Amino acid sequence: AMPSVWTTYLATDDAGSTAEAVTGAGGQIMMPPFVVMDAGRMAVVTDNGGAAFGLWQARAHIGAGRYDEPGSLCWNELHTRDYQAARAFYARVFGYTYEDLGDTDEFRYATFKRADGQTAGGFHHDLSIPEGAPYYWLAWFAVEDVDASAAKAEEPGAQVLYPPTDSPYGRMSILAGAQGEVFAVIAPQPAAGGTAG
C-alpha cells in the first residue's frame, strides 16, 4: 500500500516530453501525463534512484502562490544515497546546475539551480537512509517557532522524528503527520539584507 506523503512537483513547460526525458535518463513513470481540468497537466514519476516526484505543466494554476513565509512551503530537497547519479539525472532531465555547500564524507549537500540561475532546492547525500529504503523528496515549511510547532503537531497525533535543533540555516525539526506523512519545519535565519531565505 502507498503511504501518505507530501509530493514535490517540479515545473515543466511540457509534461509529456519531460516524462520521456525521465525514462530516457533511467527513471520510471508511475502516472502518465494527464490533464487536471483547466489547472494544468501533471505526471508522477521516479528518478533513477526511485525517488518519486511530480511533474507540473501549469495552465490556470501556476503552483505555490505563497512561499518562504510562516505557514508556507519554503524548501524542497532530495535525500539520496546515490548522490552523483541523482545529480546527473536531474541535470539531464531539467538542465539543473549545482552549487556545493559541503563535499566531505560527513556532509555532502548541494543546491540546484534552474536554467535562469535561480536556486530551486537542495540535494542531500543522506547516508542515514537504510540500505534498501526508498530515496525521497522532503518538503520544508517555514514556521516562526519550531519548538512550539513541533509540540503543537504532537497534539493531533504527529511524531517528532528529529527534535528541534539549531543549524546554520535556522532552527529545524522533522515530523511525521498523523497519517505518517513526513515533512520538516524550519525557522529560517535572516539572510543578508534582513529577510529569511
Side-chain angles (χ1 to χ4, degrees):
M2 180 68 188
S4 296
V5 296
W6 283 92
T7 302
T8 292
Y9 283 80
L10 301 176
T12 175
D13 291 330
D14 185 333
S17 64
T18 303
E20 290 177 7
V22 164
T23 58
Q28 295 184 341
I29 297 175
M30 298 174 66
M31 186 180 298
F34 65 95
V35 173
V36 184
M37 298 176 289
D38 67 341
R41 192 164 178 240
M42 66 169 280
V44 179
V45 300
T46 66
D47 66 19
N48 55 345
F53 64 97
L55 303 175
W56 183 252
Q57 179 183 343
R59 290 182 178 158
H61 179 63
I62 189 126
R66 297 182 77 165
Y67 49 89
D68 292 346
E69 61 182 55
S72 68
L73 186 70
C74 65
W75 194 248
N76 283 286
E77 66 188 12
L78 175 67
H79 286 243
T80 178
R81 292 180 66 94
D82 204 354
Y83 183 71
Q84 294 300 338
R87 286 173 60 132
F89 172 88
Y90 289 92
R92 180 173 170 183
V93 174
F94 293 99
Y96 292 157
T97 58
Y98 303 96
E99 180 179 343
D100 293 316
L101 300 183
D103 194 16
T104 68
D105 290 340
E106 293 76 30
F107 180 69
R108 187 164 284 120
Y109 192 98
T111 59
F112 62 92
K113 298 176 183 290
R114 304 182 322 185
D116 63 4
Q118 182 176 340
T119 298
F123 280 20
H124 178 42
H125 189 195
D126 191 347
L127 298 179
S128 71
I129 300 173
E131 290 289 347
Y135 305 150
Y136 60 94
W137 281 88
L138 181 64
W140 289 78
F141 295 88
V143 296
E144 292 181 345
D145 185 326
V146 169
D147 297 77
S149 295
K152 188 168 184 68
E154 288 182 295
E155 293 173 10
Q159 295 180 2
V160 177
L161 303 179
Y162 184 81
T165 305
D166 290 324
S167 81
Y169 306 101
R171 192 159 177 79
M172 60 186 182
S173 181
I174 300 176
L175 310 171
Q179 297 182 48
E181 67 283 11
V182 177
F183 64 100
V185 293
I186 187 168
Q189 293 280 25
T195 60

